[in-house]
Amino acid sequence: MDAVRPRLELFSGEQVEAIVADALAVLATVGVEVENEPARLLLREAGIAARGFRFVPDENAVRAALATAPARVVVYDRDGRPTLDLGGDRVHFDPGSAALWILDPASSRRRPPVTTDLVHLAWVTEACGNIAGQSTALVPSDVPEAMGDRFRLYVALLNSTKPVVTGTFATDAFAVMHAMLAAVRGGAAALAARPLAIFDCCPTPPLKWSDLTCQALLDCARTGVPAELVSMPLGGATAPVTLREMIVQHCAESLSGVLLHQLAAPGAPIIWGGSPAAFDMRHGTTPMGAIETMMVDAGNAQVGRSLGLPTHAYPGMSDAKVVDWQNGMESGIGAVLAALAGINLVAGPGMMDFESCQSLEKLVLDDQACGMALRLARGVGHDSAGEAVDLLRQVVALGGFLGHRHTRDHFRAEQFLPSKVIDRGTFEQWEAAGGRSSFEAAREEVRTIVARGNPAPVADDLRAELTALISAETRRLGIVGLPPV
Amino acid sequence: MTERQELFAALSRAVLDGDDAAAPRLAAQALDGGVSALDAVEKALVPAIREAGRLFEEGEYFLPELVTAAQAMKAAMAVLQQALGAEAAALALGRVVIGTVEGDIHDIGKTLVGTLLSAAGFAVSDEGASVSVARFVARARELDADLVCASALLTTTMPKQRELVEAVRAAGLRAKVMVGGAPVSPRWAASIGADGHADNALAAVTVARSLVGRDAPS
């Protein structure tokens, strides 16, 4: 359909160039601190100037790295189907990642998540038709911290077919996580050809790359696992408060990430992402539902797209502590703005209390917001000039459109058809069905999904292979008593 | 599958697909091939429309699919009707007069109920929107209707439903009165002495069947 894509662009082309120019100047003068020795070695070998461990790359070095980074990154699901097609202005959603809490649906209070919650999260994500990826969105409290990152990926791979957005908590985690992903694909080369996971790599604001994150970036580059740069400037705390300068810092941090990554392996897949936030000047918190947070997300994505890279951000989350009006309002606005801004990978569904609490109920509700946002991004078709005349001529005789073939043929593509958690019935139907709030409807939906069990079991031999890998890692770390999956 | 079973399956499919060109064509083909009209109705059309209703209740089908299925069923029935002859009487569930009450021009719900009732086997006379009480009564008398169905979409036009019930009783008609429409509750229906109420078109068919003493076989 010949539709015009509705768009949100905060800047003109010249304004984007000016932001990039400022970011390049920041790198060439202030530079970035690099804590990881192999990364320093790479930078020195490439002739990047340094003052101690602060590297000050010039524009040429950065432009060379941008030139080798691919404009499109495709991530495939467990069965090898292309699922996340990142680049241009194509939009996909995945749940907000790595929450330390889960919302208990009975009490509407947070509690520490356990492995069973992680399993259910994967099942619910699998059931959400508008959420293309899964993420290791909970940190299970019944798993020793040293195993948390690896174990979450293991659970995700066993319980959903969707590609995984994940990350490492320790520099020694990557090897076994890569081995598990390769096991699913049948080898490291097959995994590089059809990536199954994306690893988040977060620089420390302002302008610093920690040992852990550098290592993850290098590991990703060398294995062809897509890396996602998650710069986290806090406007007024760890970054300038003005949105433009915040985006300049964001851009400088991400550019240095692209440089490091492409030096390690030119052409390796990398995603221009971020988790910026406006800083709350009363509470000292990082509101993800603030409109300025979402504006920086949109602006940063526009900068990334102009540099020819796939983009990512975290709109669609809420700072609310329960699933209430604030929660739906912030999440819905975020999903819509992300779709309008053409952010390729939008993490956030299910997440609340900043980025600290996942709610499976919120996830199935957000799935609907994502569906509506995706519908908006498709725009309105325009390949049918004159059709209205014919239709109205026919319908004058028929008496209405409900029984017209045209309606039956087009309504499913033309309308987003919401699930049962969105109420569009009459008052009487609503009352007869128990007079439920959307949260109560979502609670019922989650119960139904969980009761159906694992929607995506893996074959026995693959399960055994993955279990052997995680068991060997457990022995290596001297851990006993992992929860059963 | 035998040739006949294949034909019934195709006819059922045409109804489910809402194909109002294929459904009558297949019905005619069945008659030409010596199939009894009653068989075609009972083994192809009725199971198909029942399946459409089931798919709707389960959230799989939406209104356009339900309505076009009913229309395809109607088109096939029109072909079979003549051949049914004496058998037709056995199939007809009853005569219905349906309309939206005076002062109310909303007719989507009413048309939907009328279409599904006729697909279910009722002979439906759709009087349109903004129908006066006098006209409802006159048409019911003229057709010796079993059911009078009145829709109201506005709280301001709902009182016309009460007037209608009173007028049907005062005229001494045997017709039972069903009321519906978004603001109409079971409590309202009971308070005005209506014989039946349903809050969606599929439920209306079930209520109508039970009012004429022809509950669907389970």
Side-chain angles (χ1 to χ4, degrees), chain A residues 403 405 408 411-412 428-429, chain B residues 16-17 60 65 68 71 182:
Chain A
R405 191 75 217 174
R408 177 165 174 153
F411 80 97
R412 283 175 186 269
E428 286 71 23
Q429 288 165 341
Chain B
L16 280 169
D17 289 345
E60 189 72 29
E65 282 126 353
T68 49
Q71 287 174 175

Side-chain angles (χ1 to χ4, degrees), chain A residues 203-206 230-240 245-247 249-251 253 274-279 296:
Chain A
T204 311
V230 185
S231 162
M232 305 179 287
L234 278 173
T238 62
E245 282 60 47
M246 207 173 146
I247 293 171
Q249 178 181 325
H250 200 315
C251 180
E253 288 176 354
S275 184
F279 191 69
V296 174

Side-chain angles (χ1 to χ4, degrees), chain A residues 100 138-152 167-173 177 473 477 479-483:
Chain A
L100 295 170
L138 288 167
V139 181
S141 62
D142 55 347
V143 175
E145 235 171 85
M147 273 299 280
D149 43 14
R150 288 140 258 204
F151 194 74
R152 295 187 310 164
T168 54
F169 298 159
T171 45
D172 67 344
M177 292 176 78
E473 186 71 357
L477 294 169
I479 289 168
V480 282
L482 275 181

Side-chain angles (χ1 to χ4, degrees), chain A residues 398-399 402-405 407-408 411-412 417-418 426-429 431-432, chain B residues 16-19 60-65 67-68 71 108 182-184 199:
Chain A
L398 201 64
L402 201 48
H404 196 293
R405 191 75 217 174
T407 307
R408 177 165 174 153
F411 80 97
R412 283 175 186 269
L417 303 170
T426 62
F427 184 89
E428 286 71 23
Q429 288 165 341
E431 198 175 39
Chain B
L16 280 169
D17 289 345
D19 190 337
E60 189 72 29
Y61 263 24
F62 291 79
L63 289 173
E65 282 126 353
V67 175
T68 49
Q71 287 174 175
I108 294 172
V184 176
D199 76 346

